[in-house]
Amino acid sequence: MTVYPPEFALRYRERGYWIGQTHSALLAGATQAHPSRPAVTDDRRSLTYAELQAGVHGLAHGFAGLGLSAGDRVVVQMPNVSEYLEVVFALFDAGLVPIFALATHGVAEIDDLVTRGEADAYVTVDTFGATRFADIAATIRERHPGVAVVVAELDATAAERPAGTTALAEIRTAQTSSTGRSSQPDELAFLQLSGGTTGTPKLIPRTHDDYLYSVRESADICRLTPESVFGVVLPVSHNFTMSSPGVLGAIHAGAHIVMVGAPDAATVFAAVARHRITQLSAVPPLVAAWIDSPSRTAHDLSSLAVLQVGGAKLSRALAERVPDAFGVVLQQVFGMAEGLVNYTRLDDDLETIVGTQGRPISPDDEVRIVDPTGTPVADGTPGSLQVRGPYTIRGYWAGQSPQSFTDDGFYCTGDIVVRDDRGYLRVVGRDKDQINRAGEKIAPEEVENHLLTHAAVRDASVVGVPDDRLGERILAYVIPATSAQVPLPDEFGIRGYLRERGLARFKIPDQILVVDEFPTTAVGKVSKNAQRDGQDAVDTPDAQVTPHDAILSDFAGKLAIDPATLSGSTALADTGIDSLALMALLDKWRAQGAAGLDFETLATSETLDEMIAVVLAAQTRRAN
Ligand code: AMP
Ligand code: DBH
């Protein structure tokens, strides 16, 4: 791990940023201050701070008993459930280093993280909603026999746990005190992931001291108190939901964390009303879907005080609608897992809130905006953002991607921003090869590498193109290998191929075009700019026929394809439909009478036919 130079570490301590706190101490402090206040609630259980702390200690002894040594890495892949906090804090207590995988990752990403992170354990769940994590657990067990695989059993009806894995319940002990094995405040606490620009996501080493400084300040900036109720809708392991102010900020404040089971408007708004949620964090496309949903006015949202939006650029037009639509203060958040986080402040004027992505947390965040030659530009002029500060890393894990850091220790974010004379930033573009699809970051090269493994693919080029709904969608250009023994599959087949390789669903191209050649630049490189141009935002045609065909046609309309190209036996996952589009369809079908239909049932349908049957059944139930 690249450490902070001593003179900087000294300064950050002297200024009271690094206070010698560990994550274990964070939870212990909150538990001591508010033992009987609710800490976390999900659809299945609710824990007070004292109960959470007890669960953490009981599990910490279990993890310590797995034969792992201090500093060993553990890949954690769990959905938004209360056990997530127990597991992560138990690992901290036991001196182990979590690697924060996303619940949406496939076996390809998990395998890569286990390998590159040299992990000794993998912790996951059996099944949650549409996702059978147990399948990933079985594969990891097979490919990495030396890695301990621990599965939290959430679903009593799930198939049997894969052979050779350990149930989380089995390692729970009755111990109620700490193992005393936590790492030190200035040591590596965990590895967070970056969306990255290369073939594999980069691992981001964060210390307790640096991360918790940003967490405490974030909780303060977002005004979390013990009365706050923090709703978790985005994946909990994402840096935004973890720390800006996220679940850790909520714990620092002694607030109540509510894990919301699904991101669709009806589920989220019902949870807001039921738990009196005061604060939510979302990405722009989710906010757009929520605003358009009829559910918005069907629930009591009066508890909601702050809606945070970040992860991707929020358009001014959408930003302007947020305060009135939800009766909240909008807060824009522009952050990165590597460090720097910017917030609009809750008492900023409306123009600042809708027109900027905020300003840094710390007076010691050194923001430098440079032109292509590396020369700083004047305020008001766009340039590439570089940053150095008390919670921004000085290097990636294992020295990966050294070119992302300047000689004087600034991290090159790859974001093009404009700074005003008050220090507020506006994000106006990007100079890194990365796709930002609904806040999820995708490295084109990673997807290209997967496409290139297909025998019928000679070459592949992946770009992000503007999309009304997603911000950007993934477009893959593929050149077929003419001499190949196997024919190039159609669009659905290519998606199926990527899915079988275990690539996360959010990285699977929304659109695939087969071409004879790629446009090139003057120097003969593939011109991704040319590939992005001329691709318009897809609009959604409407159609109506028989109930079955109407549903199929709604579905095809969302994908902007001809319904005739869809077959009922196509796997839902291979159609390229994303959860936001599915949510919009759900809203539409509910409004048309499929009142009892829920997101999970829809999303877990295997095939198109199965999904249509589910919708028709819901409509019929209503009609009877
Ligand atoms: P990562 O490094 O994977 O954590 O992703 C961080 C990146 O997400 C930033 O460098 C930006 O490109 C993007 N990002 C995050 N928040 C915003 C925002 N509010 N507006 C625009 N881009 C954002
Ligand atoms: O996109 C991000 O990575 C992000 C967005 C908002 C982030 O890491 C954060 C806040 O901390």
Side-chain angles (χ1 to χ4, degrees), residues 192-196 204 238-240 284 309-314 332-339 342 357 385 396 411 413-415 427 429-430 432 434 436 439 441:
Q192 184 55 277
L193 305 188
S194 131
I204 298 169
H238 189 284
N239 197 61
F240 185 9
V309 187
K313 178 74 185 267
L314 176 65
Q332 295 213 42
V333 191
F334 163 41
M336 52 208 74
E338 287 83 352
N342 303 275
Q357 276 66 59
L385 171 65
Y396 286 108
Y411 166 59
T413 66
D415 293 310
V427 182
R430 200 161 54 213
K432 53 186 168 188
Q434 186 179 74
N436 188 328
K441 318 306 184 303

Side-chain angles (χ1 to χ4, degrees), residues 68-246:
L68 306 174
S69 327
D72 281 353
R73 266 85 53 207
V74 178
V75 174
V76 179
Q77 185 187 33
M78 294 174 78
N80 293 356
V81 292
S82 54
E83 285 82 355
Y84 181 84
L85 294 177
E86 288 186 291
V87 164
V88 167
F89 278 95
L91 294 173
F92 287 142
D93 188 88
L96 300 167
V97 175
I99 299 180
F100 294 135
L102 291 172
T104 44
H105 279 149
V107 72
E109 284 88 7
I110 300 299
D111 192 346
D112 171 63
L113 291 176
V114 168
T115 306
R116 275 191 308 127
E118 298 177 59
D120 292 292
Y122 167 56
V123 186
T124 188
V125 303
D126 47 2
T127 299
F128 187 79
T131 316
R132 292 168 45 84
F133 293 92
D135 292 346
I136 300 180
T139 308
I140 294 301
R141 184 71 210 151
E142 232 171 77
R143 294 186 191 167
H144 303 270
V147 170
V149 176
V150 178
V151 179
E153 293 174 299
L154 307 175
D155 180 359
T157 65
E160 225 170 285
R161 192 160 35 76
T165 64
T166 308
L168 188 70
E170 268 175 54
I171 67 161
R172 245 183 223 284
T173 70
Q175 304 265 8
T176 53
S177 58
S178 165
T179 62
R181 292 165 49 137
S182 165
S183 49
Q184 295 300 308
D186 61 346
E187 291 177 337
L188 176 67
F190 57 82
L191 293 168
Q192 184 55 277
L193 305 188
S194 131
T197 52
T198 54
T200 46
K202 283 165 273 197
L203 297 170
I204 298 169
R206 302 290 300 258
T207 64
H208 298 278
D209 264 336
D210 89 78
Y211 204 63
L212 290 177
Y213 166 55
S214 76
V215 165
R216 292 186 308 268
E217 292 302 309
S218 295
D220 205 41
I221 289 169
C222 304
R223 295 196 194 148
L224 289 181
T225 71
E227 278 70 46
S228 303
V229 183
F230 183 79
V232 183
V233 176
L234 300 177
V236 59
S237 52
H238 189 284
N239 197 61
F240 185 9
T241 348
M242 182 82 79
S243 66
S244 303

Side-chain angles (χ1 to χ4, degrees), residues 588-618:
K588 178 170 188 180
W589 294 331
R590 273 208 192 108
Q592 291 171 353
L597 188 59
D598 69 276
F599 183 72
E600 281 312 314
T601 314
L602 195 66
T604 50
S605 312
E606 284 278 330
T607 61
L608 265 184
D609 272 348
E610 193 182 314
M611 183 205 74
I612 293 170
V614 162
V615 181
L616 289 176

Side-chain angles (χ1 to χ4, degrees), residues 250-493:
I251 290 174
H252 169 71
H256 181 192
I257 297 162
V258 174
M259 301 282 193
V260 182
D264 65 282
T267 305
V268 173
F269 296 150
V272 169
R274 170 149 179 241
H275 301 289
R276 306 292 298 159
I277 289 172
T278 59
Q279 170 130 6
L280 284 174
S281 315
V283 290
L286 207 50
V287 174
W290 290 349
I291 281 198
D292 286 342
S293 170
S295 310
R296 177 164 59 85
T297 48
H299 296 275
D300 173 11
L301 304 184
S302 62
S303 58
L304 210 52
V306 178
L307 180 59
Q308 287 191 300
V309 187
K313 178 74 185 267
L314 176 65
S315 74
R316 189 190 173 96
L318 185 55
E320 283 173 344
R321 293 176 64 195
V322 166
D324 284 347
F326 301 101
V328 293
V329 175
L330 166 67
Q331 180 174 50
Q332 295 213 42
V333 191
F334 163 41
M336 52 208 74
E338 287 83 352
L340 180 71
V341 183
N342 303 275
Y343 294 101
T344 56
R345 303 310 199 255
L346 301 185
D347 56 3
D348 276 341
D349 59 84
L350 194 62
E351 178 52 35
T352 302
I353 289 177
V354 301
T356 80
Q357 276 66 59
R359 64 178 163 89
I361 289 177
S362 174
D364 275 273
D365 281 323
E366 301 171 69
V367 163
R368 189 159 76 187
I369 301 170
V370 300
D371 70 15
T373 68
T375 312
V377 299
D379 284 348
T381 309
S384 191
L385 171 65
Q386 303 181 342
V387 62
R388 184 169 77 175
Y391 60 98
T392 296
I393 55 164
R394 294 295 188 122
Y396 286 108
W397 174 252
Q400 215 189 341
S401 193
Q403 68 279 12
S404 299
F405 300 86
T406 64
D407 289 342
D408 53 354
F410 281 72
Y411 166 59
C412 306
T413 66
D415 293 310
I416 306 291
V417 304
V418 178
R419 179 172 49 188
D420 70 17
D421 53 13
R422 304 168 304 162
Y424 281 78
L425 303 178
R426 239 170 0 102
V427 182
V428 296
R430 200 161 54 213
D431 64 0
K432 53 186 168 188
D433 193 15
Q434 186 179 74
I435 300 171
N436 188 328
R437 180 185 185 274
E440 305 264 27
K441 318 306 184 303
I442 295 120
E445 186 186 327
E446 186 182 1
V447 183
E448 288 162 3
N449 288 343
H450 280 279
L451 285 166
L452 287 170
T453 62
H454 196 288
V457 172
R458 191 178 89 210
D459 207 351
S461 176
V462 171
V463 294
V465 293
D467 184 277
D468 280 349
R469 231 164 20 80
L470 298 166
E472 283 182 309
R473 67 176 183 277
I474 309 172
L475 168 60
Y477 288 93
V478 172
I479 302 177
T482 39
S483 58
Q485 302 295 312
V486 288
L488 185 69
D490 66 8
E491 186 171 6
F492 306 124

